[in-house]
Amino acid sequence: MIIISLTSYKQRLKYIHKVLRTLFEQTVPADKIILNLSAKDRKYMGWRLRRMLKKGLVEVYYYDVELLPHNKYYHTMMRYRDAVVITVDDDQRYRPDMVEKLLDSYKAHPDCISANRVHRIVRDGAGNALSYAQWESECSSIIEPSSELFATGVGGVLYPPDILKLSEDNLPYIRRCITADDIYLKWLENRLGIKVVWPWSEPPYGSRKLGRAHRQRRALCRINKDQGLNDEYLKLFRL
């Protein structure tokens, strides 16, 4: 089974149908598209999303445990351990071949995580990761599986079935890195010896942003990057 999993919140639910439409139009369709939402945000769903739910195009899972961006993957992976899970963001329009590219990569590298957009971690002489801003952004020079590639959720990321071995034991660590799911996931991948692979031979990547008007001003990426929280997490988890 192939599942596309994402999360959202009240400020973006008005526009989530634009993202979902691009997921319906994939050259290789998913078996399920799961939207993970807080029950308190149910009332903010727009009529277009409600119509999609009635048609059975999307399933909504209302979680009890609030994990911010980690809601994108955690609940789905815990419930569907035998499924290939592709995570996506809620502020992107996805290319129609996004899933196809990831699945082709998965077939070639079944023990790796495939990501349509990656950075290369740059390290100092002692092997410590440099500041996030000093990494090679949107790396396209490494086309083989590598532990130095850092998957970013924005382009779509494929996780083979139960590759992360998630359990409730992960929750204390997740909460220590609550706003930066990508960094926590990389730390977990390193612990498990999982490499990341970039499936494209050249840009473009798997997605493009929605208009600025559709993005919340307090997006987590701004907190993580502009306020230096990413670097604090990097020191904490010692990538």
Side-chain angles (χ1 to χ4, degrees):
M1 178 183 291
I2 301 167
I3 296 175
I4 296 177
S5 182
L6 69 163
T7 190
S8 194
Y9 49 96
K10 63 180 183 180
Q11 286 88 348
R12 289 183 178 171
L13 281 177
K14 185 186 297 185
Y15 308 105
I16 193 72
H17 64 279
K18 296 185 178 184
V19 179
L20 293 171
R21 282 175 184 163
T22 67
L23 301 178
F24 302 150
E25 296 168 354
Q26 294 293 307
T27 54
V28 179
D31 297 297
K32 287 180 181 288
I33 298 176
I34 297 177
L35 176 60
N36 296 284
L37 290 179
S38 170
K40 70 179 185 299
D41 288 341
R42 185 197 299 253
K43 61 185 176 182
Y44 299 105
M45 291 193 297
W47 66 268
R48 293 179 181 88
L49 175 56
R50 293 181 185 276
R51 185 170 63 182
M52 290 174 179
L53 297 180
K54 288 182 180 179
K55 289 183 176 181
L57 298 174
V58 184
E59 293 183 14
V60 173
Y61 172 71
Y62 296 103
Y63 51 77
D64 297 320
V65 179
E66 172 59 76
L67 299 176
L68 297 182
H70 301 268
N71 291 315
K72 175 170 55 179
Y73 67 88
Y74 181 82
H75 309 291
T76 299
M77 289 185 183
M78 289 285 284
R79 297 176 72 204
Y80 294 95
R81 294 193 179 274
D82 295 331
V84 170
V85 175
I86 297 174
T87 61
V88 297
D89 282 0
D90 66 342
D91 62 349
Q92 304 289 313
R93 288 189 175 98
Y94 288 89
R95 290 169 51 113
D97 58 351
M98 182 269 295
V99 170
E100 182 178 0
K101 283 286 188 180
L102 289 173
L103 287 174
D104 286 345
S105 178
Y106 169 55
K107 292 172 185 176
H109 307 286
D111 298 324
C112 297
I113 290 168
S114 298
N116 279 326
R117 182 174 179 269
V118 297
H119 302 326
R120 182 178 70 85
I121 301 172
V122 179
R123 301 184 182 278
D124 62 20
N128 301 309
L130 297 182
S131 168
Y132 191 85
Q134 295 177 273
W135 294 3
E136 182 182 345
S137 181
E138 297 187 352
C139 176
S140 60
S141 60
I142 302 174
I143 58 174
E144 295 297 325
S146 173
S147 58
E148 292 305 296
L149 291 181
F150 179 90
T152 67
V154 67
V157 183
L158 183 149
Y159 297 88
D162 204 29
I163 192 169
L164 299 179
K165 310 295 182 188
L166 291 178
S167 71
E168 292 185 359
D169 292 340
N170 295 86
L171 291 176
Y173 299 96
I174 287 173
R175 291 192 174 102
R176 295 177 70 187
C177 196
I178 195 65
T179 65
D181 54 317
D182 291 344
I183 289 178
Y184 170 73
L185 288 168
K186 184 58 181 177
W187 173 78
L188 185 58
E189 292 155 21
N190 287 348
R191 290 190 68 192
L192 297 172
I194 301 166
K195 294 182 178 181
V196 172
V197 62
W198 181 65
W200 298 80
S201 58
E202 59 183 16
Y205 309 106
S207 67
R208 60 189 176 89
K209 294 177 182 178
L210 292 174
R212 277 187 174 271
H214 299 163
R215 307 186 72 198
Q216 189 195 29
R217 292 182 181 179
R218 296 180 182 178
L220 292 178
C221 64
R222 296 186 180 185
I223 296 173
N224 292 336
K225 291 181 181 179
D226 297 348
Q227 298 181 22
L229 201 52
N230 271 344
D231 290 337
E232 292 185 24
Y233 289 139
L234 290 176
K235 292 176 183 178
L236 179 64
F237 282 87
R238 298 180 180 178
L239 286 189

